[in-house]
Amino acid sequence: QLQLAESGGGLVQAGGSLRLSCAASGRTARGYAMGWFRQAPGEEREFVAALSWSGSTYYSDSVKGRFTSSRDNAKNTVYLQMNNLKPEDTAVYYCAAKATPLYLFDTTYKGPYEYWGQGTQVTVSS
């Protein structure tokens, strides 16, 4: 069983930056595709970014050019670097993982995912 734990959320002013971490435990996350999602109050959970086990990245249009996802397999950790944050980025951010063949990930990077973390709150003030 793969467990995921997010950290790094907090309160930041608009234009600022945060780096979220997603630490995997229970087994190596090396062979897993990873996703980042967020959910604002009263809203549906939405896709933010995804990272295949080979390093290919995918981003939603709303964060493209501002957010970067990366992974450190030695630390069993995935990161989401968020720059130029906007108030509309305020949400609980979740990381997720799934084992999927690479050739399928191009069409399934938005979900579904098998494993989920508990989430970390990101609040961007204007």
Side-chain angles (χ1 to χ4, degrees):
Q1 189 82 357
L2 185 69
Q3 288 91 42
L4 304 174
E6 304 92 338
S7 61
L11 173 64
V12 64
Q13 287 189 328
S17 298
L18 283 174
R19 188 177 79 158
L20 304 184
S21 299
C22 174
S25 61
R27 58 177 62 178
T28 178
R30 182 186 298 269
Y32 285 80
M34 307 296 292
W36 288 96
F37 294 78
R38 66 187 182 188
Q39 188 168 20
E43 303 285 336
E44 300 268 324
R45 186 171 62 194
E46 66 170 350
F47 167 78
V48 175
L51 182 65
S52 75
W53 59 260
S54 68
S56 298
T57 53
Y58 308 80
Y59 299 98
S60 68
D61 288 342
S62 62
V63 307
K64 198 173 295 182
R66 300 188 297 122
F67 291 13
T68 303
S69 185
S70 61
R71 65 195 304 160
D72 185 335
N73 289 327
K75 295 183 178 180
N76 224 20
T77 300
V78 176
Y79 303 98
L80 184 67
Q81 178 67 43
M82 307 186 295
N83 298 328
N84 191 22
L85 282 160
K86 304 175 181 180
E88 51 264 41
D89 294 319
T90 295
V92 177
Y93 283 71
Y94 300 89
C95 69
K98 63 176 177 178
T100 185
L102 191 60
Y103 73 92
L104 283 178
F105 197 55
D106 271 349
T107 55
T108 63
Y109 61 87
K110 291 186 180 181
Y113 283 78
E114 298 172 76
Y115 304 101
W116 291 85
Q118 293 300 305
T120 185
Q121 176 71 47
V122 171
T123 303
V124 185
S125 64
S126 56

